[in-house]
Amino acid sequence: MFSFAYRMRAFCGLMALVVGAPSFSPAQAATGRSPEVRPLDERGLQELLTIRKGRALVLNVWAIWCLPCVEEFPELVRLDSLYRSRGLDVVTVSIDFEDEVDEKVRPFLRRMRAAMPAYVNAFPTPSDLINALQAEWSGAIPATFFYDRTGTLVTYVVGKRSLEVFQEAADKALQRTPARR
Amino acid sequence: MARILLFLIAAAFIVPGAFAGEIKKVDNFSLDDVHGKKHSLTDHKDAKAIVLMFIATQCPVSNAYNERMAALERDYASKDIVFIGINSNKQESVEEIKEHAEKNGFRFPILKDHKNIVADKLEASVTPEIYVLNGSLDVLYHGRIDDSQREPKVSSKDLRTALEEILAGKPVSTATTKSFGCTIKRVD
């Protein structure tokens, strides 16, 4: 079903997660290199939520065909640059098809100078990802999920949102549990 | 690592449930279609099923289903199943909806839900999103048309399965499904 290159990227991504070695470089976008987009499946999501190392998390679900998602994306890039040093990670999960990643998703991320980790949905069906993130979520995008430092969901918002809304929710996520000392 | 294992073991025993607060029954409503004709759900109390489809003119996911929606109506209209499109997006005008329907060969009426009253009542949030009702306006099915925007990749024709079960007088085996779609743009 997946190409060899895609499976290799999935394997490398999984290995990086297992050993906990960050392979995303904030300089990646700035240097113009094509951003890496890893497949995200059930196991990858659980690892993302459990291996928090005391950092809160913002997870945005988007697609290249979704105009409000594309419009709000710069706000996520700003959120990432403002909050990365404050103990919060921002990651994005594209629900575009795997064969659209190289042609559409990666060029978009490069244009956005997006330095945060980027994933593409690799759950077997859309409802698997929807239910894994939040059973009450309808699947409407964009949708942005805020987790505290333990990986517990604090809140989520559906629809295009401003940086101020993201900051308010991010602050809540950071305040929910104290930073690890 | 032990924490991850514990989490994965716990997750294996969690079965995703239906939507919290899933609508079971719909109150009757009346809306004008794009030609100015009023439609009420109670006009169809003798139908075997009423299929309400929240659709859009600009949403790529909804548009990916245009041919499938037209085909569904063609296949089931003669079997006493009524199809009704509803457009609740604030930025999509009646003229635009009319043109879109003609271009895509929609024979079913499309109602303009100007103030999101129906979308709010049904708690619809995405396009396309389907509600199948019986003549008493009980919700028999809520969710997606099928499991892939790309027709060749479809493996589960959820709406067709539900309609076949209704026609056969059986309960709908999978009454709730979910998929990705565009957010309904509501009035402020």
Side-chain angles (χ1 to χ4, degrees):
Chain A
M1 186 164 61
F2 295 115
S3 68
F4 175 75
Y6 190 77
R7 276 182 280 142
M8 281 307 291
R9 283 207 300 275
F11 176 74
C12 293
L14 182 61
M15 288 309 291
L17 276 170
V18 168
V19 299
S23 63
F24 288 103
S25 158
Q28 198 172 48
T31 57
R33 280 163 53 201
S34 202
E36 189 178 352
V37 180
R38 300 174 184 165
L40 185 73
D41 59 11
E42 176 78 36
R43 185 184 168 85
L45 178 65
Q46 297 310 340
E47 285 175 348
L48 196 58
L49 297 180
T50 50
I51 308 176
R52 295 300 331 134
K53 296 182 180 172
R55 293 178 65 81
L57 176 72
V58 175
L59 185 153
N60 172 264
V61 184
W62 72 287
I64 201 81
W65 46 258
C66 162
L67 184 61
C69 305
V70 168
E71 287 174 345
E72 83 168 359
F73 210 93
E75 307 291 58
L76 292 160
V77 174
R78 283 189 201 106
L79 186 75
D80 175 49
S81 67
L82 287 171
Y83 279 73
R84 196 184 311 135
S85 61
R86 294 171 58 183
L88 181 130
D89 295 327
V90 178
V91 303
T92 60
V93 181
S94 158
I95 59 162
D96 293 288
F97 290 101
E98 168 255 330
D99 60 11
E100 294 171 325
V101 168
D102 287 345
E103 187 190 342
K104 295 177 181 173
V105 175
R106 284 154 63 100
F108 173 78
L109 293 173
R110 191 166 52 241
R111 277 202 307 281
M112 287 287 114
R113 303 175 74 80
M116 59 275 215
Y119 298 90
V120 61
N121 173 33
F123 279 65
T125 70
S127 57
D128 291 330
L129 174 60
I130 293 168
N131 287 325
L133 287 171
Q134 170 55 259
E136 290 177 24
W137 172 39
S138 66
I141 60 166
T144 309
F145 300 82
F146 297 80
Y147 300 87
D148 68 14
R149 298 173 196 269
T150 68
T152 303
L153 183 66
V154 174
T155 187
Y156 73 103
V157 291
V158 176
K160 185 174 88 171
R161 301 298 165 137
S162 64
L163 179 62
E164 289 70 29
V165 170
F166 287 152
Q167 283 181 294
E168 195 181 324
D171 288 338
K172 269 189 204 162
L174 283 167
Q175 286 158 14
R176 173 70 77 85
T177 43
R180 204 187 275 171
R181 293 191 185 275
Chain B
M1 187 56 84
R3 203 170 155 216
I4 298 170
L5 282 173
L6 276 174
F7 189 96
L8 291 175
I9 291 164
F13 290 96
I14 297 169
V15 179
F19 287 103
E22 182 75 34
I23 299 279
K24 301 271 188 252
K25 195 176 180 75
V26 176
D27 291 335
N28 182 45
F29 62 79
S30 300
L31 282 178
D32 286 351
D33 67 21
V34 290
H35 301 286
K37 185 183 171 193
K38 190 175 284 301
H39 295 256
S40 298
L41 290 182
T42 47
D43 296 342
H44 309 291
K45 59 182 188 301
D46 297 326
K48 285 186 178 148
I50 306 164
V51 181
L52 302 179
M53 304 187 289
F54 284 87
I55 60 175
T57 61
Q58 296 171 15
C59 168
V61 187
S62 186
N63 281 329
Y65 281 95
N66 287 339
E67 280 184 24
R68 276 172 272 184
M69 290 189 284
L72 277 157
E73 192 272 342
R74 281 198 305 273
D75 294 348
Y76 288 97
S78 61
K79 297 174 182 173
D80 255 353
I81 292 182
V82 174
F83 285 76
I84 299 170
I86 302 174
N87 184 307
S88 303
N89 276 333
K90 69 175 178 186
Q91 82 280 18
E92 294 175 0
S93 69
V94 166
E95 272 314 305
E96 185 181 335
I97 298 165
K98 202 188 291 183
E99 199 176 300
H100 181 264
E102 281 167 17
K103 186 178 152 199
N104 290 289
F106 292 162
R107 301 191 313 182
F108 49 83
I110 301 178
L111 316 184
K112 183 61 187 173
D113 182 21
H114 285 286
K115 292 179 180 171
N116 323 132
I117 292 166
V118 175
D120 288 348
K121 269 187 177 194
L122 273 69
E123 297 175 11
S125 56
V126 63
T127 58
E129 184 169 350
I130 309 296
Y131 292 79
V132 180
L133 318 176
N134 62 14
S136 305
L137 310 187
D138 301 308
V139 178
L140 306 179
Y141 174 79
H142 172 208
R144 64 196 183 193
I145 293 171
D146 58 40
D147 65 345
S148 181
Q149 290 171 51
R150 287 181 174 170
E151 204 166 356
K153 294 196 171 199
V154 170
S155 62
S156 182
K157 296 182 178 181
D158 307 279
L159 177 55
R160 279 185 184 270
T161 302
L163 296 179
E164 290 299 330
E165 287 172 338
I166 290 165
L167 288 173
K170 296 177 186 169
V172 175
S173 52
T174 303
T176 307
T177 58
K178 279 194 261 188
S179 196
F180 297 118
C182 308
T183 314
I184 291 175
K185 314 299 181 298
R186 286 172 151 83
V187 291
D188 297 324

